[in-house]
Amino acid sequence: MWPILFRIGDFEVGTFGLMVAIGFFAGYATAVSRAIRAGYPEEKISNMLILCLVMGVLGAKILHVIVYFNESTLSELVFSRRGLVFYGGLIGGVLTGWWIVWRNGWNPAEVADLLAPSVALGEFFGRIGCLLNGCCFGKICSNPLGIRFPRIEYKGELIGSDPFYHQLVHGLIPLDAAQSLPVYPTQAFSSLAALATFLFLVYVLFPRRSFKGQVALTYLILYSVCRFLIEVFRDDPRGSWFPGLSTSQGISVGVLIAAIGMWIYLKRQDHAARKDGAPQAQP
């Protein structure tokens, strides 16, 4: 891991923030490119994406505060640079985008299809940042997949890494340990799943979609299923929904049900439009 890119005095520039920024610009560039090819005005699409980013970060921070409200002070939760929850960002960005699409009179399903793959691409880079930062870590494992995280000290004070500190607090490693016990690389699981989703949506599904909204709904279905499964292997504190489920698993179930319901609705609408001789959805 490599959590700090460089320091200037006590000011730190972290690799997590850098990778999140790279993810945004990669997602931004691919989304704008597809939107322009589909005939949408570049300026309006660009402004929408920037506003979605701002509200997405705000949503990610708000959900972080809600999930960890009883585990830290409010000021630490709000002003920590590390406190972002992906589902909160997704919800904040989607709601903002929906409002802008409605104001411009665009087809929300079509715009969602154009933008959804870029969300997966952004997550690919963001989860690499998680791996470099040491957050979102997995449970202890004894198979070859396991990776170890180092003991990190700064100015003589033990500050991490997160897996090391977590295992130390729970008495799983001695105080003088140099590194953590091997854990599942859940950050890499998430990153690879996001990349595979992006490639599938762009190069396989989008050219063959049968109705508007199919690409975006497929993204939500794939993400919710992958997230639910990967959460099984995670060990960092993530809040609880019901006994045995993390907050993200609970949200994943809700997103999956909503996406399937919307899939049925849009598919029926498309079938009715075809039956009535209305123009069919084109990629």
Side-chain angles (χ1 to χ4, degrees):
M1 64 177 293
W2 189 14
I4 306 301
L5 192 62
F6 61 85
R7 286 188 176 94
I8 301 177
D10 290 330
F11 178 77
E12 300 176 345
V13 174
T15 49
F16 175 74
L18 174 65
M19 295 308 298
V20 169
I22 292 174
F24 167 71
F25 285 113
Y28 171 87
T30 54
V32 169
S33 176
R34 283 195 302 275
I36 291 175
R37 290 199 302 269
Y40 288 88
E42 180 179 358
E43 183 177 358
K44 287 187 177 182
I45 285 291
S46 298
N47 291 339
M48 182 184 74
L49 291 175
I50 292 173
L51 187 56
C52 285
L53 170 68
V54 173
M55 298 307 295
V57 172
L58 181 60
K61 175 62 71 171
I62 289 174
L63 187 55
H64 172 77
V65 171
I66 293 173
V67 171
Y68 299 103
F69 187 76
N70 294 324
E71 300 181 18
S72 186
T73 64
L74 182 60
S75 61
E76 289 177 347
L77 292 172
V78 170
F79 295 108
S80 170
R81 288 183 293 172
R82 304 172 62 187
L84 299 174
V85 177
F86 180 81
Y87 261 130
L90 182 63
I91 294 170
V94 167
L95 291 177
T96 303
W98 189 280
W99 175 70
I100 296 173
V101 166
W102 173 77
R103 286 197 62 185
N104 284 287
W106 296 336
N107 185 313
E110 183 177 38
V111 174
D113 279 351
L114 293 170
L115 304 186
S118 296
V119 178
L121 181 62
E123 190 201 1
F124 163 68
F125 289 101
R127 290 301 182 184
I128 294 176
C130 291
L131 180 63
L132 294 172
N133 189 53
C135 57
C136 308
F137 55 89
K139 295 178 180 178
I140 296 173
C141 71
S142 57
N143 58 54
L145 290 175
I147 58 176
R148 296 175 183 266
F149 288 85
R151 174 194 188 96
I152 299 178
E153 295 183 0
Y154 181 60
K155 294 183 177 180
E157 180 182 354
L158 177 63
I159 61 172
S161 58
D162 285 0
F164 179 92
Y165 194 77
H166 177 79
Q167 293 178 9
L168 181 65
V169 169
H170 287 81
L172 300 174
I173 54 176
L175 183 59
D176 60 351
Q179 56 187 2
S180 72
L181 297 173
V183 298
Y184 285 103
T186 46
Q187 311 95 328
F189 293 165
S190 296
S191 184
L192 292 175
L195 179 60
T197 298
F198 169 76
L199 295 175
F200 172 74
L201 295 180
V202 171
Y203 297 107
V204 178
L205 182 59
F206 196 89
R208 300 170 177 82
R209 64 175 180 165
S210 60
F211 63 93
K212 293 180 180 179
Q214 184 180 16
V215 175
L217 292 174
T218 299
Y219 166 71
L220 291 177
I221 290 171
L222 290 176
Y223 179 79
S224 60
V225 171
C226 290
R227 182 61 184 268
F228 188 96
L229 295 176
I230 292 172
E231 285 284 307
V232 174
F233 298 96
R234 281 179 58 170
D235 200 30
D236 58 310
R238 291 152 292 145
S240 60
W241 189 276
F242 294 110
L245 291 182
S246 69
T247 300
S248 292
Q249 283 179 315
I251 297 176
S252 293
V253 172
V255 169
L256 179 61
I257 294 172
I260 292 175
M262 185 60 69
W263 181 294
I264 295 172
Y265 171 75
L266 291 179
K267 186 67 174 176
R268 286 178 176 174
Q269 272 199 331
D270 180 75
H271 178 73
R274 291 171 186 266
K275 191 174 181 179
D276 294 338
Q280 299 179 8
Q282 297 294 329

